[in-house]
Amino acid sequence: MLKWLLLLILMPSACFGQDWFPNGATWHFSFDPELLDNVGYIRMEVTGDTTVAGVNTKKIARYKMGYNNITQEEFDGPDGYTFAHEADGIIWTYDPIQDEFDTLYNMNAVPGMRWGMAKLPGFGLWICSPSSYYEVTDIGTTEINGVMLRWISVDIHMFQGSDPGYVLQDTILQRRGTLGYLLPHEPCIAGGDDGGPLRCYTDNEIGIQIESVACDYVVGLSESIEHLYNALDIYPNPAEAQVTFEVDMNVAGPDADLIVRDVLGRKVYHT
């Protein structure tokens, strides 16, 4: 049994400038891992400026690339558009059913502040509950490729009806957004193949790799790696100053590597 001890490093806050959705910015998201029929990814790319509901906004093209495990056929192609923009530190997303923009992120927020979760774009309703909300727990800045970016750690309170169902933790990074799904943004359900985690984000200044696989990877992961979930133990959880990773090498195998990334997707440990 091998153990690694990792100290958690907090980043100080600093001044920053907003620069969301630059032309050419691209996100790759894995398909929802709970869906068994299809594997693959969704690519979103900012293609330019446009006007929607009388508002100057960014046009984000969606593409799907995947493989169907039932038919054993590949598929790819465009999957419509979504629209979003930043104004005075507020990130807005468009709901075509209501024909209006709603708050996606509030980058002006400080610890303790909350904002309600927007409706699921394209449906004009809350899939989780209108009581669901984001609550800021920490803020700061980080530098990537010489670019200073603001980050906000949040607890995402997911209500189911009138009952608080569960709480997710995530970090909103300027330009990149959350580590979870960006648009649609309700974690309860995204619809179709949507809803998987972020693989990577790139624009003309920065590049962030989250997953160990390539951004445009579709198939090839074997079920033989499922045993790795039983080989890793992390404690304490939640952690404050330090955390221990305990790996059972008898289960993981002699060729297994441990890679640890921080909340911004940067590799901080590899063995």
Side-chain angles (χ1 to χ4, degrees), residues 171-182:
T171 298
I172 305 168
L173 176 65
Q174 183 182 345
R175 299 196 191 186
R176 184 203 69 187
T178 55
L179 290 170
Y181 203 64
L182 176 69

Side-chain angles (χ1 to χ4, degrees), residues 3-50:
K3 295 183 179 180
W4 291 273
L5 184 66
L6 182 68
L7 297 180
L8 303 182
I9 301 175
L10 299 179
M11 290 167 287
S13 61
C15 298
F16 70 100
Q18 294 288 355
D19 185 17
W20 286 76
F21 309 112
N23 290 342
T26 304
W27 298 258
H28 287 77
F29 293 91
S30 294
F31 284 173
D32 186 339
E34 296 185 2
L35 300 177
L36 301 179
D37 290 353
N38 297 331
V39 293
Y41 65 93
I42 295 172
R43 177 167 60 90
M44 299 185 186
E45 181 178 355
V46 179
T47 59
D49 299 274
T50 189

Side-chain angles (χ1 to χ4, degrees), residues 156-204:
I156 308 175
H157 294 259
M158 310 300 299
F159 278 70
Q160 297 175 336
S162 60
D163 298 324
Y166 52 92
V167 179
L168 301 175
Q169 283 79 40
D170 209 328
T171 298
I172 305 168
L173 176 65
Q174 183 182 345
R175 299 196 191 186
R176 184 203 69 187
T178 55
L179 290 170
Y181 203 64
L182 176 69
L183 295 168
H185 49 275
E186 277 200 283
C188 283
I189 183 172
D193 298 308
D194 295 27
L198 177 68
R199 291 185 178 184
C200 52
Y201 167 83
T202 58
D203 60 36
N204 61 352

Side-chain angles (χ1 to χ4, degrees), residues 122-151:
F123 290 83
L125 48 78
W126 288 280
I127 298 299
C128 302
S129 167
S131 300
S132 299
Y133 63 91
Y134 292 84
E135 183 172 12
V136 178
T137 60
D138 198 8
I139 62 174
T141 59
T142 187
E143 185 176 329
I144 300 178
N145 292 353
V147 180
M148 189 65 70
L149 302 171
R150 180 179 173 90
W151 57 264

Side-chain angles (χ1 to χ4, degrees), residues 16-264:
F16 70 100
Q18 294 288 355
D19 185 17
W20 286 76
F21 309 112
N23 290 342
T26 304
W27 298 258
H28 287 77
F29 293 91
S30 294
F31 284 173
D32 186 339
E34 296 185 2
L35 300 177
L36 301 179
D37 290 353
N38 297 331
V39 293
Y41 65 93
I42 295 172
R43 177 167 60 90
M44 299 185 186
E45 181 178 355
V46 179
T47 59
D49 299 274
T50 189
T51 300
V52 176
V55 177
N56 294 328
T57 190
K58 291 290 187 175
K59 185 176 184 179
I60 304 173
R62 293 167 42 90
Y63 305 87
K64 282 188 178 183
M65 292 75 175
Y67 177 82
N68 186 283
N69 289 315
I70 305 301
T71 64
Q72 298 184 349
E73 294 179 344
E74 296 182 356
F75 59 90
D76 64 83
D79 190 46
Y81 296 90
T82 189
F83 304 92
H85 64 277
E86 180 271 335
D88 298 325
I90 306 296
I91 314 305
W92 300 89
T93 180
Y94 178 64
D95 178 3
I97 301 299
Q98 301 295 323
D99 191 29
E100 64 183 13
F101 285 87
D102 203 349
T103 302
L104 179 61
Y105 307 133
N106 181 359
M107 298 302 292
N108 300 318
V110 296
M113 289 186 62
R114 302 177 178 181
W115 69 88
M117 184 177 294
K119 300 181 182 70
L120 187 68
F123 290 83
L125 48 78
W126 288 280
I127 298 299
C128 302
S129 167
S131 300
S132 299
Y133 63 91
Y134 292 84
E135 183 172 12
V136 178
T137 60
D138 198 8
I139 62 174
T141 59
T142 187
E143 185 176 329
I144 300 178
N145 292 353
V147 180
M148 189 65 70
L149 302 171
R150 180 179 173 90
W151 57 264
I152 297 180
S153 293
V154 293
D155 285 344
I156 308 175
H157 294 259
M158 310 300 299
F159 278 70
Q160 297 175 336
S162 60
D163 298 324
Y166 52 92
V167 179
L168 301 175
Q169 283 79 40
D170 209 328
T171 298
I172 305 168
L173 176 65
Q174 183 182 345
R175 299 196 191 186
R176 184 203 69 187
T178 55
L179 290 170
Y181 203 64
L182 176 69
L183 295 168
H185 49 275
E186 277 200 283
C188 283
I189 183 172
D193 298 308
D194 295 27
L198 177 68
R199 291 185 178 184
C200 52
Y201 167 83
T202 58
D203 60 36
N204 61 352
E205 291 186 306
I206 65 173
I208 302 172
Q209 180 91 20
I210 305 299
E211 299 290 327
S212 58
V213 299
C215 300
D216 56 356
Y217 189 73
V218 175
V219 295
L221 289 178
S222 171
E223 293 181 357
S224 64
I225 69 171
E226 292 182 359
H227 70 284
L228 294 178
Y229 292 105
N230 299 319
L232 178 64
D233 189 21
I234 304 175
Y235 59 88
N237 185 15
E240 293 184 359
Q242 63 185 38
V243 62
T244 297
F245 295 82
E246 186 173 303
V247 179
D248 188 339
M249 300 304 294
N250 292 325
V251 177
D255 298 325
D257 289 337
L258 175 66
I259 300 175
V260 180
R261 298 182 185 273
D262 65 13
V263 295
L264 303 176

